[in-house]
Amino acid sequence: MWEGAAGESGPPGDLPSATLTLNVNGTAHTLTLDHRTTLLDALRHHLDLTGAKKGCDHGQCGACTVLVDGRRANSCLLLAVAHDGARVTTVEGLAGERLHPLQEAFLERDAFQCGYCTPGQLCSAAGVLAEAAAGHPSHVTPHDAPVNAPARLTPEEIRERMSGNLCRCGAYPRITEAVQDVAP
């Protein structure tokens, strides 16, 4: 599969391609991509946003996690062509003029070691905070919890909701503490 590189306009020859617009970190980007290009490859190879990492390339490690229309997603499993017009937030887009509170908490809690999984962990944590605030239950949410009320993010809730993001260094206790620091 043609993955392309930053600055290349589109696939070579007669590979099936499509022109689409991705709204990434608040900026619209129009790209012509091979139909088989994943969202992760579009971000990394065509937009030069290398924060999201290619880990397992099977949606099992979470290193490629980004927010698509506000929801967590493994970008290695998504075809870019199917997300024309989508709003994508990468780790590069979490911070404004200052670091995102999660980024500050990760630094304060030393919630990373090698840092390879950290961009995916941060995007996933941002998604967890939004999902909990919207009242989305998890597998460990008590059955008698109020429906559609913000979910209380206990360490157990955070571990369950972040379970799709693996850390080979085992920084899980610090990651849980950092997310809990930011949780309301």
Side-chain angles (χ1 to χ4, degrees):
M1 175 171 50
W2 180 79
E3 293 181 343
E8 290 186 356
S9 61
D14 57 357
L15 292 175
S17 63
T19 299
L20 61 132
T21 300
L22 295 174
N23 298 300
V24 182
N25 301 330
T27 302
H29 299 273
T30 300
L31 304 166
T32 300
L33 300 172
D34 178 334
H35 286 183
R36 301 165 296 175
T37 303
T38 65
L39 180 58
L40 176 62
D41 287 335
L43 294 170
R44 292 182 58 82
H45 299 293
H46 297 275
L47 300 178
D48 207 22
L49 294 169
T50 57
K53 301 294 189 259
K54 186 175 277 193
C56 66
D57 209 20
H58 289 86
Q60 297 175 345
C61 73
C64 66
T65 303
V66 297
L67 301 172
V68 177
D69 293 329
R71 303 288 308 257
R72 297 182 285 163
N74 292 328
S75 60
C76 73
L77 296 180
L78 304 177
L79 292 175
V81 70
H83 291 82
D84 186 20
R87 290 178 300 109
V88 179
T89 303
T90 68
V91 71
E92 293 92 342
L94 285 181
E97 292 183 21
R98 297 188 54 196
L99 290 177
H100 187 282
L102 283 166
Q103 292 169 316
E104 290 179 359
F106 269 60
L107 286 170
E108 289 173 14
R109 291 288 188 170
D110 195 21
F112 48 85
Q113 290 181 21
C114 79
Y116 193 82
C117 71
T118 304
Q121 299 274 3
L122 286 164
C123 284
S124 189
V128 163
L129 293 174
E131 291 163 13
H136 297 182
S138 78
H139 181 69
V140 299
T141 301
H143 296 291
D144 59 352
V147 177
N148 293 329
R152 186 168 164 260
L153 287 176
T154 63
E156 184 182 21
E157 278 279 356
I158 294 168
R159 285 192 295 271
E160 170 61 22
R161 291 173 188 262
M162 295 288 293
S163 64
N165 290 78
L166 303 180
C167 172
R168 293 179 185 174
C169 302
Y172 299 116
R174 298 292 187 200
I175 292 169
T176 301
E177 292 169 359
V179 174
Q180 196 165 27
D181 285 350
V182 178

